[in-house]
Each structure stands twice: as C-alpha cells, then as structure tokens.
Amino acid sequence: MLKFENLATVGQRIRSYDFMGNREAFIEGTIIDKGWMPNGALGYSIKIEKDGADFGREGDIGYVAFESAFLEYDERVELA
C-alpha cells in the first residue's frame, strides 16, 4: 500500500501541499477519482476549489500522488 492511498475516498476533500515547509502553497478540492493519473502514477484526481499559492488553478483538475518518490513527507496530504 502506498503512503496516502487509504487517506480518503471519492467525494471527500483533501489538501495537498506543493512544497515541504510551506503551508501557504497547496491545492485543495473534492476527490472525483482514485487510481491511475495521466502521468502513470497512482493517486487522487481532484476538482481544485482552493489554490493557496494563487497560481490560478481553481476549477482545474489536479492530481495528487498516493506517494511521491522525490517529495514525500508525513504532512504532504491531509483531509480538508
């Protein structure tokens, strides 16, 4: 099982942080699917409702990996 695979289910809201140590840069939204993402990894597909970094991502579909090989830490993904 991957690190955040069982954190949430479709219909729940999650927040995923963009960078370790920066609680201001994140995406938050409702999970619309779990499984394979376009990049070939497993994760959550979310409808982005909040963009903490103000990159204009609201309304987009975002992808949150269940586990990241290069940016993994305990607080990376949480229920919102």
Side-chain angles (χ1 to χ4, degrees), residues 27-39:
I27 56 173
E28 181 179 311
T30 302
I31 299 169
I32 56 174
D33 195 21
K34 280 179 75 167
W36 295 104
M37 301 184 303
N39 67 357

Side-chain angles (χ1 to χ4, degrees), residues 22-77:
N22 182 349
R23 304 290 283 177
E24 303 298 318
F26 63 86
I27 56 173
E28 181 179 311
T30 302
I31 299 169
I32 56 174
D33 195 21
K34 280 179 75 167
W36 295 104
M37 301 184 303
N39 67 357
L42 287 167
Y44 300 104
S45 298
I46 68 170
K47 178 74 170 184
I48 301 172
E49 296 153 0
K50 279 185 165 181
D51 178 356
D54 199 24
F55 289 144
R57 298 176 286 184
E58 289 97 350
D60 291 346
I61 302 300
Y63 302 99
V64 178
F66 292 149
E67 191 167 301
S68 175
F70 63 93
L71 177 67
E72 193 56 71
Y73 58 98
D74 288 341
E75 299 85 25
R76 183 177 63 86
V77 183

Side-chain angles (χ1 to χ4, degrees), residues 4-10 12-14 31 34 44 79:
F4 294 104
E5 185 173 357
N6 290 327
L7 176 69
T9 60
V10 172
Q12 289 185 294
R13 289 174 59 95
I14 59 172
I31 299 169
K34 280 179 75 167
Y44 300 104
L79 290 173

